[in-house]
């Protein structure tokens, strides 16, 4: 065990409060200095499928979970940009992944907490990105499209299950343009978790297949770290790529 890991995993004392969380995978995630090596997709899916959007203030027998929201944001990105590189769709799917640890705080509360919360969220997001072959910092154009899709998803959720009027939701989130309405259907926890994992595997399999079988792939400098092949929670291989089409 390295000195870093030894230090980050010391037991809590009265002088040093515990700053890590044990995951069901057996990983210990250091919350103040998260390592990509301690991030597992099964832990993320399990957590997000148990975090309710809108603080649970939604209609129906089941909460609308962050796991479902993430899949919806990926769907919307694909509608906005048909043929968008799969690595950026993976970024869209993982855009709220830090909430598997910190929960889903509504925007007004995030604003009240200020920069320290955002810095914490940012460090965790960077570790998640690196774990799954994405750059720690996404290009601004990618961030902008994901945010546009996030706002569109929020509009549909707000008007269909969270009690917002159309006018109120349009004022707060903006009315989606160039997008037909999408029905919101809160799912039971296990189904939400399975849907998120299925989408993750679909996207990573597409990236891996493209890198293996595209006839001219060998003629390019293979680029940005997508091409992640998840075979189990303990085995993962990376293919580095710079081709903007992957």
């Amino acid at each position: 065990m390295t000195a870093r890991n030894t230090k980050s995993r010391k037991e809590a004392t009265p002088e040093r409060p515990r700053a890590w969380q044990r995951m069901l995978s057996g990983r210990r995630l250091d919350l103040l200095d998260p390592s990509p090596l301690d991030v597992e997709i099964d832990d993320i899916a399990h957590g997000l499928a148990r975090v309710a959007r809108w603080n649970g203030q939604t209609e129906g027998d089941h909460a609308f979970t962050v796991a479902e929201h993430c899949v919806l944001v990926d769907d919307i990105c694909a509608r906005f940009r048909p043929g968008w590189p799969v690595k950026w769709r993976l970024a869209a799917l993982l855009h709220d992944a830090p909430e598997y640890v910190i929960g889903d705080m509504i925007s007004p509360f995030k604003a009240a907490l200020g920069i320290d919360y955002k810095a914490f969220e940012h460090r965790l997001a960077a570790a998640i990105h690196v774990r799954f072959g994405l750059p720690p910092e996404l290009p601004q154009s990618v961030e902008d499209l994901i945010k546009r899709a996030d706002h569109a998803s929020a509009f549909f959720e707000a008007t269909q299950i969270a009690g917002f009027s159309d006018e109120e939701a349009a004022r707060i989130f903006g009315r989606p343009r160039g997008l037909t309405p999408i029905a919101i259907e809160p799912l039971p926890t296990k189904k939400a978790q399975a849907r998120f994992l299925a989408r993750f595997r679909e996207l990573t399999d597409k990236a891996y297949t493209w890198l293996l079988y595209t006839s001219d792939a060998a003629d390019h400098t293979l680029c940005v770290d997508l091409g992640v092949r998840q075979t189990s929670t303990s085995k993962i291989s990376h293919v580095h790529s710079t081709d903007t089409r992957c």
Side-chain angles (χ1 to χ4, degrees), residues 5-236:
N5 285 338
T6 300
K7 181 179 179 181
S8 66
R9 298 185 183 196
K10 286 181 179 178
E11 297 301 323
T13 68
E15 297 77 25
R16 182 180 57 249
R18 178 170 67 90
W20 53 264
Q21 178 174 340
R22 184 183 298 281
M23 302 297 171
L24 289 180
S25 64
R27 298 288 189 184
R28 277 183 171 185
L29 182 67
D30 186 328
L31 303 180
L32 301 181
D33 185 19
S35 167
L37 297 176
D38 291 324
V39 174
E40 296 291 351
I41 194 62
D42 288 336
D43 292 331
I44 292 174
H46 182 94
L48 296 186
R50 288 159 176 81
V51 177
R53 292 271 291 169
W54 309 98
N55 280 342
Q57 297 299 305
T58 52
E59 299 174 358
D61 294 335
H62 307 287
F64 188 72
T65 67
V66 176
E68 294 175 79
H69 166 76
C70 288
V71 173
L72 180 56
V73 167
D74 171 47
D75 285 337
I76 294 173
C77 284
R79 294 190 188 196
F80 283 152
R81 293 286 188 277
W84 209 34
V86 68
K87 63 176 175 285
W88 304 139
R89 286 192 56 192
L90 180 61
L93 182 70
L94 296 172
H95 80 282
D96 277 341
E99 294 178 8
Y100 89 108
V101 172
I102 60 180
D104 181 36
M105 294 186 184
I106 60 174
S107 296
F109 193 41
K110 286 183 180 181
L113 288 175
I115 191 65
D116 287 345
Y117 171 84
K118 296 301 294 182
F120 174 81
E121 184 179 38
H122 183 80
R123 284 195 297 272
L124 185 52
I128 292 168
H129 286 169
V130 171
R131 174 65 175 89
F132 299 115
L134 296 166
E137 301 277 351
L138 299 178
Q140 190 60 52
S141 61
V142 173
E143 291 273 15
D144 290 345
L145 187 66
I146 293 173
K147 184 175 289 293
R148 180 185 170 198
D150 192 35
H151 286 175
S153 178
F155 177 89
F156 294 133
E157 295 168 34
T159 54
Q160 293 181 42
I161 60 173
F164 286 64
S165 69
D166 187 88
E167 293 75 15
E168 184 182 21
R171 185 173 69 252
I172 297 172
F173 306 110
R175 193 182 305 280
R177 296 182 179 181
L179 194 65
T180 56
I182 298 173
I184 303 298
E185 181 188 0
L187 297 173
T189 297
K190 289 292 187 181
K191 287 187 177 181
Q193 182 174 344
R195 181 171 292 185
F196 180 90
L197 281 172
R199 180 62 56 86
F200 174 85
R201 286 165 182 150
E202 174 191 341
L203 293 175
T204 54
D205 282 351
K206 282 182 179 179
Y208 185 75
T209 300
W210 185 91
L211 289 166
L212 283 181
Y213 299 114
T214 298
S215 59
D216 62 349
D219 297 331
H220 298 275
T221 303
L222 292 178
C223 80
V224 161
D225 305 310
L226 203 115
V228 180
R229 174 68 165 177
Q230 174 93 8
T231 55
S232 73
T233 57
S234 60
K235 286 179 64 179
I236 194 165

